[in-house]
Amino acid sequence: MTIDDAPRDGLRGGPRELLRLVASGAAVSRADLARLSGLSPSTVSQRVEALISEGLLQEAGAGKSRGGRRPRQLAVPTGGALIGAIDLGAHHARLGTLDLTGRVVEVRSRPVRIEDGPEAVLGALLDEVTALAPGADAAVPGQREAVPAGGRALRGIGIGIPGPVQYDTGRVVSPSRMPGWNGFDARDFCARRTQVPVVVDNDANLMALGEHRAAHAELDHAVYVKAGTGIGAGVISGGRLHRGAQGSAGDISHCRVVADPGPLCSCGNTGCLEAVASGAALVAALREQGVPVEDLTGVMRLIDDGDRHATALARRAGRSIGEILAVVVNFFNPQVVAIGGRLAECEPLLASMRATLYERCLPLATQALLIERVVTGPDVGIMGAAQLVIDRVVDPS
Amino acid sequence: MTIDDAPRDGLRGGPRELLRLVASGAAVSRADLARLSGLSPSTVSQRVEALISEGLLQEAGAGKSRGGRRPRQLAVPTGGALIGAIDLGAHHARLGTLDLTGRVVEVRSRPVRIEDGPEAVLGALLDEVTALAPGADAAVPGQREAVPAGGRALRGIGIGIPGPVQYDTGRVVSPSRMPGWNGFDARDFCARRTQVPVVVDNDANLMALGEHRAAHAELDHAVYVKAGTGIGAGVISGGRLHRGAQGSAGDISHCRVVADPGPLCSCGNTGCLEAVASGAALVAALREQGVPVEDLTGVMRLIDDGDRHATALARRAGRSIGEILAVVVNFFNPQVVAIGGRLAECEPLLASMRATLYERCLPLATQALLIERVVTGPDVGIMGAAQLVIDRVVDPS
DNA sequence: ATGACTTTGTTCGGCACTCGTAGAAAGTGA
DNA sequence: TCACTTTCTACGAGTGCCGAACAAAGTCAT
């Protein structure tokens, strides 16, 4: 829809690049920044000065000499403004605050009941997030420009939803298994309620953004699969998040993987990937086999214990995911496919997926392909949310 | 590989935007350009002056008044420099010359025998292309800057290859059914031979570039399928050509579409899309059924005549292509899927493909999806080649 | 210690690009 | 003939970046 969906920010060009280089520890001095960013020393000097006067950067004493003048070290100040983030899942939500460099400050997990509807679910989570940033009303009005903004005020909130989100409008569209959410304008609702800018996106997209920035910032093309209760994917093309026309890019959950008399899916079709390989499908299939299992955690435990049925199901799920991803890899030719979510912990699933990919893809497409588990951990979603807020709200270059 | 694979040129920003607006007939005067491009009138004036002095644009008398001063009309000069283009196919090649706005000047078709190897095939085609632009040595040395460059000199050549091309290096990599081409550095060979800048890309990518610029320039995400002797696809993401990590993006020909004892593919696997749905596969399957058919043209004729076997095969091919494209559409969520190549003329195939797409995709992904036949005609490949040359050689902003 | 050399960082002028404003040029219409 | 519109250019200003020169602060061999 928009011309530039997500500015390729922290890499080349954007003024945030310098900030990120310092925050990541890659650069400590202005000279480092010039070398790493490719900008001229004079430009770096200029920009650093601007960042310091905005309160986004500060000097931190002198470093060690490398045979010449000692560098004046730079650091990202702690205690500045905050970003709120919510990563909503099928049964649990993760929420927290992060600083303007995208580092987690505080994080919590809460059980949620999606079926209570968007107002109730989001309302409670928003209240908790805003409570984590008490600085909002402690801000000194006159100094908002000079000092980074009072106590620890909230500059924006990023929210991930486990279903399709029309990013331009912030609406949730035709989600399966989220009764009462269809068409809900989550962005507007949250922005009105908190009086703070809000961005809303699909949870897999946020995972992709978080993991890509944290682990693969130098790679141009990547696919991140989130396999938990449901299955989704986030797509990076040319260093930017690819959301597609309706914002539903990466939604592979209803691709067909088994011939016609397959298991019935929540979407009404049969044989969908989600009906075969998602966490919910594993739980359902085990129960059908008479194995008493509570939830996905129970399934994971069975697999860890070496239960035959559960392990076989996990292998089959991995094969199914691999079959779809094989098409995706041939078509998209990414540099990396990373899998996250609860099911990524499942070794048999991962192994089957890998095997299927290598078997079914062009050798050309897999020869240099990284197939990994997501390395950023359970906070990856809220980290991606914060990245999005930084890109779109804090510093939309 | 590169940060900015293909600059989003003719749209917003690039200095070529103005040229394209004039060439397409959308703008006739400087005032038009200012309105359409969003640039200020002063900037337009400046850029137009620069383009005129480069010989890329010229004034063409006064237009009709709209209640005020009459506009000074602009036009793209004819007779300027040329771009050479070759669209290599499995059995035929299309070659020609185009002007700097991407319009075809001359075009021809030649039978080729790929198996003669790259030097012989490309050598002959290059000779013919250079012969179409005799201005190369007629150029007046001193005036190369002021006047557009002598007679009709060749500024660059764009070449499409029916197999994977590593775009960065210009090498052909592991093509199936192109014996003797693997690893061949086509760009270097052609550039040395002609002493002119050369760009080489996959044929489906060039088709995508040509069709996108000509028909869907305003759309951000598109997939163009080229179904002829082989099957390939070109991918546009965010208005740019997405080539992927190894340049093999869009290569869906070896995705599996039938369960294990499927037809043997040239790649050694069984059940590949190419072994089921390509033109070559249709010819082979008909022969196996005892139908004497010469080539793809023969198959098309049978289908037009209503032959049951041929039509059934075409329908099955359409379904197979649709099954793969369904995954692609769910994953990539494009605004348009267009199909070109010889098989696109086949109505039953197209119908089956459409049906399969609507059946297997998320409604969200197909509700606004255009499913079309390519409209640019048989020259689309060389038009795309010229676009690539313009972007990368003539005017790499 | 002393001078040569390194590394770090700033200042300053200049280039390239764009915009806005003003105004010139060239029409129309009452 | 005058008011008004449309088209196009000229000029000054602003921005963002760069390179060169220089200033600051070290190390190291003699």
Side-chain angles (χ1 to χ4, degrees), chain A residues 8 220-221 238 240, chain B residues 1-8 167-168 240-245 247 388 391-392:
Chain A
R8 182 151 200 192
D220 284 327
H221 312 302
R240 295 181 183 80
Chain B
M1 302 267 186
T2 48
I3 291 288
D4 241 2
D5 238 354
R8 182 150 201 194
Y167 180 73
D168 302 307
R240 294 181 183 79
L241 194 57
H242 172 91
R243 290 195 181 83
L388 198 57
D391 287 354
R392 311 303 291 180

Side-chain angles (χ1 to χ4, degrees), chain B residues 309-320:
Chain B
H309 293 92
T311 307
L313 280 174
R315 288 204 168 275
R316 181 176 132 191
R319 254 195 322 275
S320 297

Side-chain angles (χ1 to χ4, degrees), chain A residues 1-277:
Chain A
M1 304 269 186
T2 47
I3 290 288
D4 241 2
D5 237 355
R8 182 151 200 192
D9 216 40
L11 309 176
R12 254 153 266 229
R16 279 210 92 67
E17 178 188 16
L18 301 186
L19 219 48
R20 225 179 286 274
L21 285 169
V22 173
S24 71
V28 174
S29 66
R30 292 164 176 80
D32 285 351
L33 286 173
R35 276 188 295 266
L36 291 171
S37 68
L39 294 169
S40 77
S42 43
T43 307
V44 169
S45 211
Q46 227 170 265
R47 286 205 192 167
V48 166
E49 197 174 8
L51 289 171
I52 289 177
S53 79
E54 279 183 72
L56 296 174
L57 214 53
Q58 65 186 15
E59 298 212 341
K64 262 202 305 205
S65 164
R66 294 197 303 174
R69 169 174 173 176
R70 282 192 313 221
R72 296 162 62 182
Q73 291 184 302
L74 299 170
V76 176
T78 59
L82 289 175
I83 294 163
I86 299 174
D87 185 13
L88 192 57
H91 305 301
H92 294 266
R94 226 173 158 79
L95 61 91
T97 51
L98 302 89
D99 65 25
L100 294 186
T101 71
R103 272 185 307 213
V104 174
V105 174
E106 233 172 319
V107 62
R108 301 180 186 180
S109 187
R110 289 281 172 269
V112 295
R113 297 197 314 172
I114 286 286
E115 62 273 21
D116 288 346
E119 283 95 347
V121 171
L122 288 177
L125 294 171
L126 286 173
D127 288 348
E128 195 161 359
V129 166
T130 49
L132 287 180
D137 29 19
V140 185
Q143 295 192 353
R144 282 240 302 271
E145 296 306 299
V147 182
R152 301 213 72 175
L154 223 45
R155 290 272 282 264
I157 301 178
I159 301 177
I161 305 277
V165 174
Q166 203 177 351
Y167 179 73
D168 302 307
T169 64
R171 278 180 194 281
V172 180
V173 282
S174 30
S176 53
R177 293 193 305 195
M178 293 178 72
W181 288 69
N182 189 17
F184 183 69
D185 189 336
R187 187 171 67 194
D188 185 67
F189 172 80
C190 298
R192 280 182 198 278
R193 177 147 180 153
T194 62
Q195 296 296 316
V196 156
V198 172
V199 289
V200 181
D201 204 341
N202 172 266
D203 62 341
N205 283 349
L206 294 188
M207 184 182 105
L209 209 51
E211 179 77 4
H212 181 253
R213 292 280 172 87
H216 307 128
E218 77 289 358
L219 300 183
D220 284 327
H221 312 302
V223 174
Y224 299 95
V225 179
K226 182 165 183 179
T229 304
I231 294 182
V235 186
I236 303 281
S237 164
R240 295 181 183 80
L241 194 56
H242 171 91
R243 290 195 181 83
Q246 274 77 35
S248 80
D251 194 341
I252 53 174
S253 45
H254 302 288
C255 292
R256 197 171 304 183
V257 286
V258 278
D260 240 349
L264 188 64
C265 178
S266 64
C267 74
N269 254 321
T270 63
C272 295
L273 183 62
E274 184 168 292
V276 173

Side-chain angles (χ1 to χ4, degrees), chain B residues 30-31 35 42 45 66 68-69 71-72:
Chain B
R30 292 165 175 81
R35 276 188 294 265
S42 42
S45 210
R66 294 197 303 175
R69 171 175 172 174
R72 296 162 61 182

Side-chain angles (χ1 to χ4, degrees), chain B residues 165-180:
Chain B
V165 174
Q166 203 176 351
Y167 180 73
D168 302 307
T169 64
R171 278 180 193 281
V172 180
V173 282
S174 28
S176 54
R177 292 195 304 197
M178 293 178 72

